Structure formats: C-alpha cells, structure tokens
Amino acid sequence: MVVVIDGKAKAASVTDAVRDAAERLENETGKKPGLAVVIVGDDPASHAYVNSKSKMAKQCGFNSVQHTLPEETTQQELATLVATLNADASIHGILVQLPLPKHLDSDPIIQSILPEKDVDGLSVLNAGKLAVGDLKTGLLSCTPAGAMLLVRSIHGDDLSGLNAVVIGRSNLFGKPMGQLLLNANATVTMAHSRTRDLASVCKSADILVAAVGRAQMVKADWVKPGATVIDVGINRIPAPEKGEGKSRLVGDVAFEEASAVAAAITPVPGGVGPMTIAMLMANTVIAAHRALGKDAPTF
Ligand code: GUN
C-alpha cells in the first residue's frame, strides 16, 4: 500500500515549533520576528499565496507586514521599498512575490535584499552557501527545504546509495533541491526539458522530484516500483465533473496511476504546498534569532 505523505500535518508541526520559538524569543528580547511580504500587481494566484503567507505569519506570532503595490509600480519605487525594509530593524525577513509584472526586472530586486533578510534563499550568497555545503549559516529556499523534510520523513537524514532525479532546474526550486539531495549523500540527476528520454531517466529514481509545471506529465511507467515521488507542481485544470466552469488543482504527477507503483507519494494539494509556507515561517524565525544575537532553532 502506498504511503500518501501528509504535507499538511508535517507543515503544522513545523509552524507549531516556529510559534514556540517566536514566543521564547519575544519573552527573552521583547521583540517579535518581523516578516515583510511585497506583492506587485493583480495576479489572483499570487495574491492568494501572499495572503496565506501573511495570515500564517500572524498565527506564528510575528509582526506581519504586507506591501501591496499597483501594477504600474516602477523599478525605482520597488527598489526604494526594498531599501527601506533592509534598513528597518523590526523586519527580519523580506519576500518579494514572484513573478513580478513583465516591465520589472526581478533579479536586481531580489539581489538587493540583504542576504540575512532573504527568507526566500534566492540571494547569490545564500545560494552559494548551499552550493558549498554550508547548510547552517545561510537561509535555504523554502520549497526545496520543505520538500527535503518530506523526503527525510520517509528515508531519514542519510540518502547514501539512493538515486534521486529532480525534473526542473530553476533557481527557485530545481537547483537548490538537487544540492540538498546531494548534501544528504544521494546520487543526483538534474533532468530538464532538454533531457533525452526523460521517462527512462525518471525510472532510475529511488526518489523522484517533479517540478516542471505541466499537469500530470509524470506517468506510472516513469516511476520505479517502490520509489518515493515528490510532486512540486501546482496546476489548475478544468473539472467539468464539478460543474460548468469549475477547475481543480493537480500536480506534475498523474497521482492515481503513479500511486499504484510508488511506495510513497505527495498529494496535490496537501503535499509540498503547505511546506513552502511553513519553511518561510521557519526562515523568518531563524533570521530573527540571528539578528537578535540568539542561537537559531533548526527544522
Ligand atoms: N512565487 C511562487 N513561489 C514563490 C516563492 O517561493 N517565493 C517567491 N518570492 N515567489 C514565489
């Protein structure tokens, strides 16, 4: 019987630990962890994500600040806001929701966030620390860090001897995920849209991580019997069975058929998704501890 990995439950245990750590920090220093989330424009999916991030930050006892900027915001206005947040001692974490509207250049904005406040783990310094195997002093990208906790819930901390395949090579997910798996001693293949015979590459994986953004692309015959499958995709597809004009969320993996082959699999929704927000809270409480000269908790 396949194990359906419960990301919601794991995320709740992380946010419980974050809330406790935030409370202890406030008792010791009189300061709350501060998280600023910046969103530009009107994309409804981005607004939904950002609202849940801000809400969870409040639930964790943080000082939660949301900056909602209009679509026509200029590069300079956004850069000025980041500079203000960098200089604000009550803010320990800054997240600029991506993607930004097309007329804005996201890279200089993301790289202008102070690395110690970069709770997305996207700065060159934080990405570089992960690349050289320093998992202690930087901040890790939230979705891969969360996916890794789910992998560890199945396989433990040491992945020696296991083959891991990551499909997708983005800076936000694929690259850091590959580094985390490698750091845990897995033998890692980074697959992507130019990989030849993707299906057979995937079939070699004891741990298969899919982050391609294509609904239900990974089929049962891509999955090695007994594998652990981590589905990072969130795709909205039409669901006429629920009524006219209705839709539903699916991952990058064809869940039903893959479940018949895998030993463990994450569902969509309720798998990796809730872990991303939980790890954002974890990064913020870690950043706040460091800024206030306290030993940071680990997750
Ligand atoms: N858009 C989708 N996922 C993310 C994320 O993890 N961080 C940011 N900043 N934007 C996103």
Side-chain angles (χ1 to χ4, degrees), residues 53 95-98 120 143 172 276:
K53 288 170 184 175
L95 179 140
V96 176
Q97 184 68 18
L98 300 173
D120 250 337
T143 306
L172 197 56
T276 299

Side-chain angles (χ1 to χ4, degrees), residues 32-56:
K32 287 178 194 285
L35 173 65
V37 178
V38 179
I39 179 162
V40 185
D42 309 316
D43 179 55
S46 289
H47 273 271
Y49 289 136
V50 162
N51 289 341
S52 28
K53 288 170 184 175
S54 297
K55 195 168 138 203
M56 183 60 79

